[in-house]
Amino acid sequence: MFARPIRVTATAVAGPSAILGRAANSHSVAAAALVRSIAFAPGRLSEAHLGFVELTRKSRVPPVAAALALLLTAGCAVGPNFTKPAAPEVSDYTAPALSTTAASANIPGGGAQRFAKGTDISGDWWTLFHSEALNDLIEHSLANNPDLKAAQAALLVARENVLAQRGAYFPSVTGDFSASRQRQSGQIAPTPNSNAFLYNLFTPEVSISYVPDVFGLNRRTMESLQAQEQGVRFQMIAAYTTLTSNVVVAAIQDASLQMQIDTTRQLIDINTNALQILQYQFAKGYASGLDVAAQESQLAQVAATLPPLLKQLAQQRDLLAVLTGRFPTQAPTEKFELSSLQLPEELPVSLPSELVAQRPDVLQAEENLHAASAKIGIAIANRLPSITLTANAGSTALAMNQLFTSGTGFWGVGAAATAPLFQGGTLLHEERAAKAAYVQAADQYRSTVLTAFQNVADTLTALEQDAEAMKSAAAAAAAAKVTLDLAQRQFQDGYAGYLALLSAEQAYQQDLINLVQAEANRYADTAALFQALGGGWWHRADLSKGKNAN
């Protein structure tokens, strides 16, 4: 269902045959031993390669040439070839499936929301709220948020590491020049042909070293680094989706808190007026001290709710400033109101099979699994022999003007084989650790996928219940408004006292606060749904570049 089991395979590749011609003139017992050790290593090479070794033995091919021919033409990438995990066989996010939320008539943000299954997500989904101030804030945050910039820099680091590793595919060429003045002891034969004991020596030299990727160590290392690069890329995309949703939610909370503060201040005024009336009635003997004390307690309780709201609003403004890359003293001047936002009534819901290809955290976990798979091949290759081909050429002369003249040149070619014979179990346990790390990455991938589906399911359920909560809050506010209207008429006609009117106003204002909170929850959970489904990053050209765009 998720990560498939490890399968160790080897893929043959052709090597540079030009090197064989230069190395075929040398004979080496070590090379012959290397041919025999590889030929009879069970499970390392195919039957065709074993036949090639036998043919080489019978045809009297020089041992070093046979070794190089075998290694360069039968290079293989040991370890498992990574297979992309299959999408989960799930048809929906919730049981039963959700289609439409409840509606609250004649209420801003109270419309029904329809879940359009299989519909794609827009790359700038926040524009569905139809707020220019919000759009400007998002664009400013994308251009200046330091966390996003740090994630982009981390991606550049990973990309350069991949490019640096590519150099292992090519020969290493170094140039050297040395100049010295020497005096030779008179007790031994002088070095120059001129028999001089005091002389200058000038030597320019070029050296070439090449390590054929016989068992795929370089390829697996490159594969691992490329997977790590993609993991960092998806981590950067996750930072992008988190940033955009955080800015939207922060703006919604800013508007909600401002409305709650305004309503709370009205409640404080209402309760203050009620207390003054009761105090006057108490002085005239129409009210008891108990009534006054109860109203004082009510006023204190309402007043106590204001400082936390002011604190939350200040912290929300600070958060908006930081999200947009500014200091708290430079908080954005945009003012948000819930009435200026439009609730998206049709919400795209990706198919479950597409979610694993859209969520950046799932894709990052997949690349971590890919990197762990490649590291198994690295650990296996480290236990196998390695070949190093070397060549050097240059000139040595007693004077600068004699360099590169006839008789001053020198050159040399060579091949060396190195095989780990005893490492105290280090390489074996490193291979086992790499395989265990793969199992760990596979379980982490599964956990990430399960969490992704949980996020979507929770958000869909939250939107459904938000609509029900808003419907109830709207009904309560409407009933409180009717009560307030009746209380006002009775007060005007002399059938009710002022305290009854103040009580009706207080109930109405409290129900308005509940309605504002319910409306803000709908907007915030709508933004959360877009984030849970991946955020539509694949529609942005700066984020959807090909995997190997190096």
Side-chain angles (χ1 to χ4, degrees):
M1 176 178 177
F2 293 97
R4 298 184 179 177
I6 301 174
R7 292 178 298 152
V8 179
T9 59
T11 305
V13 296
S17 58
I19 303 178
L20 293 177
R22 295 194 298 270
N25 296 327
S26 249
H27 293 269
S28 171
V29 176
L34 178 63
V35 172
R36 291 194 296 272
S37 66
I38 296 176
F40 299 105
R44 298 303 184 193
L45 299 175
S46 66
E47 292 183 2
H49 299 148
L50 296 177
F52 175 78
V53 173
E54 183 66 16
L55 179 62
T56 302
R57 185 179 63 84
K58 294 180 178 179
S59 58
R60 297 181 181 178
V61 176
V64 69
L68 295 178
L70 174 62
L71 294 174
L72 297 178
T73 60
C76 57
V78 296
N81 289 328
F82 180 72
T83 302
K84 184 181 179 70
E89 296 178 359
V90 180
S91 60
D92 221 317
Y93 298 102
T94 60
L98 304 178
S99 58
T100 306
T101 64
S104 302
N106 302 322
I107 298 294
Q113 290 182 301
R114 185 177 70 86
F115 301 122
K117 188 174 181 180
T119 306
D120 198 8
I121 301 172
S122 171
D124 52 354
W125 54 267
W126 52 87
T127 60
L128 299 177
F129 292 99
H130 297 280
S131 171
E132 288 297 329
L134 179 60
N135 296 343
D136 293 341
L137 200 63
I138 291 285
E139 293 304 322
H140 192 87
S141 65
L142 292 177
N144 299 282
N145 183 265
D147 291 334
L148 183 59
K149 287 182 174 294
Q152 292 169 343
L155 176 58
L156 181 60
V157 172
R159 184 168 298 158
E160 292 301 326
N161 287 336
V162 171
L163 296 176
Q165 180 60 29
R166 284 183 176 177
Y169 288 131
F170 303 97
S172 174
V173 182
T174 58
D176 177 68
F177 177 80
S178 63
S180 64
R181 180 169 179 79
Q182 303 180 28
R183 178 177 179 83
Q184 192 72 28
S185 170
Q187 301 297 317
I188 60 176
T191 299
N193 290 336
S194 61
N195 293 327
F197 289 95
L198 180 63
Y199 57 89
N200 297 324
L201 194 63
F202 301 94
T203 305
E205 181 180 6
V206 175
S207 301
I208 302 175
S209 176
Y210 179 64
V211 180
D213 195 17
V214 180
F215 296 108
L217 176 61
N218 293 339
R219 278 165 285 163
R220 291 303 187 197
T221 303
M222 173 67 77
E223 181 184 352
S224 175
L225 289 175
Q226 287 176 331
Q228 293 177 45
E229 177 200 352
Q230 290 305 308
V232 174
R233 172 173 172 259
F234 291 123
Q235 187 175 11
M236 182 269 292
I237 293 174
Y240 157 82
T241 58
T242 301
L243 173 63
T244 53
S245 62
N246 283 348
V247 171
V248 172
V249 172
I252 292 170
Q253 291 300 323
D254 181 274
S256 172
L257 288 168
Q258 189 59 62
M259 290 186 66
Q260 293 179 57
I261 289 171
D262 293 341
T263 305
T264 300
R265 283 173 172 162
Q266 294 178 18
L267 282 173
I268 292 174
D269 292 340
I270 291 171
N271 280 274
T272 301
N273 291 335
L275 178 60
Q276 293 173 351
I277 293 173
L278 282 172
Q279 288 174 338
Y280 175 79
Q281 292 178 346
F282 175 72
K284 297 297 183 179
Y286 301 127
S288 66
L290 181 61
D291 293 336
V292 174
Q295 184 58 34
E296 289 176 342
S297 175
Q298 177 69 21
L299 174 59
Q301 291 177 10
V302 175
T305 63
L306 183 60
L309 292 175
L310 292 173
K311 180 184 73 172
Q312 293 178 45
L313 179 61
Q315 292 174 342
Q316 209 65 34
R317 300 297 298 177
D318 294 343
L319 175 61
L320 281 173
V322 172
L323 289 175
T324 54
R326 292 178 274 201
F327 290 96
T329 55
Q330 304 168 334
T333 58
E334 293 90 348
K335 298 295 182 181
F336 299 97
E337 298 180 358
L338 292 180
S339 58
S340 66
L341 300 178
Q342 180 177 325
L343 185 72
E345 296 186 353
E346 181 169 314
L347 298 178
V349 179
S350 306
L351 295 174
S353 59
E354 296 176 349
L355 183 66
V356 294
Q358 296 178 177
R359 288 262 305 207
D361 56 342
V362 174
L363 293 171
Q364 182 184 357
E366 179 184 318
E367 294 300 337
N368 291 341
L369 181 63
H370 189 175
S373 171
K375 287 179 180 178
I376 296 176
I378 294 173
I380 295 175
N382 284 332
R383 300 182 63 190
L384 300 175
S386 63
I387 301 296
T388 302
L389 305 179
T390 58
N392 69 314
S395 176
T396 299
L398 299 177
M400 290 285 291
N401 59 1
Q402 297 175 355
L403 289 174
F404 305 110
T405 59
S406 178
T408 63
F410 63 87
W411 62 269
V413 295
T418 303
L421 299 179
F422 178 75
Q423 302 292 332
T426 299
L427 300 180
L428 172 63
H429 291 292
E430 286 179 351
E431 179 183 340
R432 291 177 179 176
K435 292 178 179 178
Y438 178 89
V439 175
Q440 177 188 10
D443 287 331
Q444 289 174 340
Y445 174 81
R446 176 181 174 83
S447 176
T448 304
V449 171
L450 292 174
T451 301
F453 275 74
Q454 178 191 357
N455 291 159
V456 177
D458 289 348
T459 307
L460 292 174
T461 302
L463 286 170
E464 182 186 38
Q465 297 306 316
D466 288 344
E468 296 291 342
M470 186 172 184
K471 185 177 180 180
S472 299
K481 183 65 169 64
V482 173
T483 302
L484 176 60
D485 292 341
L486 292 174
Q488 288 174 338
R489 291 176 186 175
Q490 290 178 351
F491 175 74
Q492 292 172 359
D493 295 339
Y495 296 114
Y498 190 57
L499 284 178
L501 176 59
L502 292 177
S503 178
E505 287 182 348
Q506 179 177 338
Y508 177 61
Q509 294 295 333
Q510 187 61 56
D511 286 335
L512 283 182
I513 290 179
N514 295 336
L515 182 58
V516 168
Q517 292 174 341
E519 184 179 0
N521 288 339
R522 291 198 79 186
Y523 283 110
D525 286 333
T526 298
L529 178 63
F530 285 106
Q531 181 186 10
L533 293 172
W537 60 268
W538 50 94
H539 291 300
R540 294 185 67 96
D542 55 335
L543 299 176
S544 59
K545 293 179 180 179
K547 283 192 173 185
N548 297 318
N550 293 319

PDB file of all heavy atoms in Angstrom, residues 69-87:
ATOM      1  N   ALA A  69      38.683  -4.567 -18.459  1.00  0.00           N
ATOM      2  CA  ALA A  69      37.586  -4.823 -19.396  1.00  0.00           C
ATOM      3  C   ALA A  69      36.348  -5.303 -18.654  1.00  0.00           C
ATOM      4  O   ALA A  69      35.223  -4.870 -18.921  1.00  0.00           O
ATOM      5  CB  ALA A  69      38.019  -5.860 -20.439  1.00  0.00           C
ATOM      6  N   LEU A  70      36.574  -6.207 -17.706  1.00  0.00           N
ATOM      7  CA  LEU A  70      35.440  -6.731 -16.942  1.00  0.00           C
ATOM      8  C   LEU A  70      34.789  -5.632 -16.113  1.00  0.00           C
ATOM      9  O   LEU A  70      33.575  -5.459 -16.114  1.00  0.00           O
ATOM     10  CB  LEU A  70      35.913  -7.858 -16.027  1.00  0.00           C
ATOM     11  CG  LEU A  70      34.843  -8.420 -15.057  1.00  0.00           C
ATOM     12  CD1 LEU A  70      33.709  -9.025 -15.846  1.00  0.00           C
ATOM     13  CD2 LEU A  70      35.467  -9.428 -14.124  1.00  0.00           C
ATOM     14  N   LEU A  71      35.605  -4.851 -15.414  1.00  0.00           N
ATOM     15  CA  LEU A  71      35.049  -3.865 -14.501  1.00  0.00           C
ATOM     16  C   LEU A  71      34.383  -2.713 -15.225  1.00  0.00           C
ATOM     17  O   LEU A  71      33.350  -2.207 -14.789  1.00  0.00           O
ATOM     18  CB  LEU A  71      36.163  -3.338 -13.590  1.00  0.00           C
ATOM     19  CG  LEU A  71      36.755  -4.372 -12.627  1.00  0.00           C
ATOM     20  CD1 LEU A  71      37.937  -3.762 -11.880  1.00  0.00           C
ATOM     21  CD2 LEU A  71      35.711  -4.859 -11.634  1.00  0.00           C
ATOM     22  N   LEU A  72      34.958  -2.295 -16.361  1.00  0.00           N
ATOM     23  CA  LEU A  72      34.422  -1.130 -17.048  1.00  0.00           C
ATOM     24  C   LEU A  72      33.220  -1.456 -17.913  1.00  0.00           C
ATOM     25  O   LEU A  72      32.403  -0.591 -18.197  1.00  0.00           O
ATOM     26  CB  LEU A  72      35.510  -0.470 -17.894  1.00  0.00           C
ATOM     27  CG  LEU A  72      36.694   0.083 -17.080  1.00  0.00           C
ATOM     28  CD1 LEU A  72      37.734   0.667 -18.023  1.00  0.00           C
ATOM     29  CD2 LEU A  72      36.208   1.124 -16.090  1.00  0.00           C
ATOM     30  N   THR A  73      33.110  -2.703 -18.356  1.00  0.00           N
ATOM     31  CA  THR A  73      31.955  -3.063 -19.182  1.00  0.00           C
ATOM     32  C   THR A  73      30.859  -3.708 -18.369  1.00  0.00           C
ATOM     33  O   THR A  73      29.743  -3.854 -18.846  1.00  0.00           O
ATOM     34  CB  THR A  73      32.367  -4.036 -20.313  1.00  0.00           C
ATOM     35  OG1 THR A  73      32.899  -5.227 -19.710  1.00  0.00           O
ATOM     36  CG2 THR A  73      33.398  -3.393 -21.215  1.00  0.00           C
ATOM     37  N   ALA A  74      31.166  -4.111 -17.159  1.00  0.00           N
ATOM     38  CA  ALA A  74      30.151  -4.764 -16.345  1.00  0.00           C
ATOM     39  C   ALA A  74      29.862  -3.969 -15.087  1.00  0.00           C
ATOM     40  O   ALA A  74      29.527  -4.518 -14.063  1.00  0.00           O
ATOM     41  CB  ALA A  74      30.593  -6.177 -15.961  1.00  0.00           C
ATOM     42  N   GLY A  75      30.071  -2.626 -15.149  1.00  0.00           N
ATOM     43  CA  GLY A  75      29.771  -1.801 -13.994  1.00  0.00           C
ATOM     44  C   GLY A  75      28.306  -1.928 -13.618  1.00  0.00           C
ATOM     45  O   GLY A  75      27.430  -1.962 -14.479  1.00  0.00           O
ATOM     46  N   CYS A  76      28.029  -2.006 -12.350  1.00  0.00           N
ATOM     47  CA  CYS A  76      26.645  -2.171 -11.918  1.00  0.00           C
ATOM     48  C   CYS A  76      26.404  -1.328 -10.681  1.00  0.00           C
ATOM     49  O   CYS A  76      27.325  -1.080  -9.907  1.00  0.00           O
ATOM     50  CB  CYS A  76      26.333  -3.630 -11.619  1.00  0.00           C
ATOM     51  SG  CYS A  76      27.424  -4.351 -10.379  1.00  0.00           S
ATOM     52  N   ALA A  77      25.172  -0.875 -10.522  1.00  0.00           N
ATOM     53  CA  ALA A  77      24.779  -0.115  -9.342  1.00  0.00           C
ATOM     54  C   ALA A  77      24.141  -1.077  -8.363  1.00  0.00           C
ATOM     55  O   ALA A  77      22.998  -1.496  -8.538  1.00  0.00           O
ATOM     56  CB  ALA A  77      23.812   0.997  -9.727  1.00  0.00           C
ATOM     57  N   VAL A  78      24.902  -1.475  -7.354  1.00  0.00           N
ATOM     58  CA  VAL A  78      24.393  -2.440  -6.388  1.00  0.00           C
ATOM     59  C   VAL A  78      23.384  -1.756  -5.478  1.00  0.00           C
ATOM     60  O   VAL A  78      23.317  -0.535  -5.385  1.00  0.00           O
ATOM     61  CB  VAL A  78      25.542  -3.039  -5.556  1.00  0.00           C
ATOM     62  CG1 VAL A  78      26.482  -3.840  -6.422  1.00  0.00           C
ATOM     63  CG2 VAL A  78      26.299  -1.933  -4.821  1.00  0.00           C
ATOM     64  N   GLY A  79      22.589  -2.558  -4.797  1.00  0.00           N
ATOM     65  CA  GLY A  79      21.570  -2.026  -3.916  1.00  0.00           C
ATOM     66  C   GLY A  79      20.217  -1.974  -4.590  1.00  0.00           C
ATOM     67  O   GLY A  79      20.076  -2.259  -5.786  1.00  0.00           O
ATOM     68  N   PRO A  80      19.174  -1.617  -3.860  1.00  0.00           N
ATOM     69  CA  PRO A  80      17.813  -1.624  -4.409  1.00  0.00           C
ATOM     70  C   PRO A  80      17.576  -0.458  -5.355  1.00  0.00           C
ATOM     71  O   PRO A  80      18.052   0.648  -5.127  1.00  0.00           O
ATOM     72  CB  PRO A  80      16.930  -1.511  -3.162  1.00  0.00           C
ATOM     73  CG  PRO A  80      17.783  -0.790  -2.175  1.00  0.00           C
ATOM     74  CD  PRO A  80      19.193  -1.241  -2.432  1.00  0.00           C
ATOM     75  N   ASN A  81      16.864  -0.716  -6.430  1.00  0.00           N
ATOM     76  CA  ASN A  81      16.375   0.344  -7.300  1.00  0.00           C
ATOM     77  C   ASN A  81      15.064   0.865  -6.724  1.00  0.00           C
ATOM     78  O   ASN A  81      14.122   0.104  -6.521  1.00  0.00           O
ATOM     79  CB  ASN A  81      16.157  -0.176  -8.719  1.00  0.00           C
ATOM     80  CG  ASN A  81      17.471  -0.456  -9.426  1.00  0.00           C
ATOM     81  OD1 ASN A  81      18.474   0.210  -9.179  1.00  0.00           O
ATOM     82  ND2 ASN A  81      17.476  -1.448 -10.293  1.00  0.00           N
ATOM     83  N   PHE A  82      15.010   2.154  -6.454  1.00  0.00           N
ATOM     84  CA  PHE A  82      13.857   2.729  -5.758  1.00  0.00           C
ATOM     85  C   PHE A  82      12.610   2.679  -6.624  1.00  0.00           C
ATOM     86  O   PHE A  82      12.644   2.977  -7.821  1.00  0.00           O
ATOM     87  CB  PHE A  82      14.145   4.176  -5.368  1.00  0.00           C
ATOM     88  CG  PHE A  82      13.001   4.844  -4.657  1.00  0.00           C
ATOM     89  CD1 PHE A  82      12.679   4.495  -3.351  1.00  0.00           C
ATOM     90  CD2 PHE A  82      12.238   5.809  -5.296  1.00  0.00           C
ATOM     91  CE1 PHE A  82      11.627   5.110  -2.687  1.00  0.00           C
ATOM     92  CE2 PHE A  82      11.198   6.426  -4.655  1.00  0.00           C
ATOM     93  CZ  PHE A  82      10.887   6.077  -3.337  1.00  0.00           C
ATOM     94  N   THR A  83      11.504   2.294  -6.010  1.00  0.00           N
ATOM     95  CA  THR A  83      10.199   2.283  -6.657  1.00  0.00           C
ATOM     96  C   THR A  83       9.271   3.221  -5.902  1.00  0.00           C
ATOM     97  O   THR A  83       9.149   3.127  -4.683  1.00  0.00           O
ATOM     98  CB  THR A  83       9.594   0.871  -6.671  1.00  0.00           C
ATOM     99  OG1 THR A  83      10.497  -0.021  -7.341  1.00  0.00           O
ATOM    100  CG2 THR A  83       8.255   0.857  -7.389  1.00  0.00           C
ATOM    101  N   LYS A  84       8.646   4.124  -6.608  1.00  0.00           N
ATOM    102  CA  LYS A  84       7.740   5.094  -5.990  1.00  0.00           C
ATOM    103  C   LYS A  84       6.594   4.366  -5.296  1.00  0.00           C
ATOM    104  O   LYS A  84       5.958   3.491  -5.893  1.00  0.00           O
ATOM    105  CB  LYS A  84       7.198   6.035  -7.055  1.00  0.00           C
ATOM    106  CG  LYS A  84       6.305   7.156  -6.539  1.00  0.00           C
ATOM    107  CD  LYS A  84       5.816   7.988  -7.693  1.00  0.00           C
ATOM    108  CE  LYS A  84       4.901   9.096  -7.211  1.00  0.00           C
ATOM    109  NZ  LYS A  84       5.655  10.129  -6.471  1.00  0.00           N
ATOM    110  N   PRO A  85       6.305   4.693  -4.044  1.00  0.00           N
ATOM    111  CA  PRO A  85       5.204   4.020  -3.342  1.00  0.00           C
ATOM    112  C   PRO A  85       3.871   4.253  -4.049  1.00  0.00           C
ATOM    113  O   PRO A  85       3.612   5.338  -4.579  1.00  0.00           O
ATOM    114  CB  PRO A  85       5.218   4.665  -1.952  1.00  0.00           C
ATOM    115  CG  PRO A  85       6.591   5.228  -1.799  1.00  0.00           C
ATOM    116  CD  PRO A  85       7.023   5.629  -3.170  1.00  0.00           C
ATOM    117  N   ALA A  86       3.056   3.234  -4.049  1.00  0.00           N
ATOM    118  CA  ALA A  86       1.739   3.342  -4.677  1.00  0.00           C
ATOM    119  C   ALA A  86       0.817   4.186  -3.813  1.00  0.00           C
ATOM    120  O   ALA A  86       0.955   4.260  -2.584  1.00  0.00           O
ATOM    121  CB  ALA A  86       1.142   1.953  -4.874  1.00  0.00           C
ATOM    122  N   ALA A  87      -0.138   4.864  -4.462  1.00  0.00           N
ATOM    123  CA  ALA A  87      -1.114   5.672  -3.735  1.00  0.00           C
ATOM    124  C   ALA A  87      -2.029   4.762  -2.914  1.00  0.00           C
ATOM    125  O   ALA A  87      -2.339   3.642  -3.334  1.00  0.00           O
ATOM    126  CB  ALA A  87      -1.936   6.508  -4.714  1.00  0.00           C
TER     127      ALA A  87
END
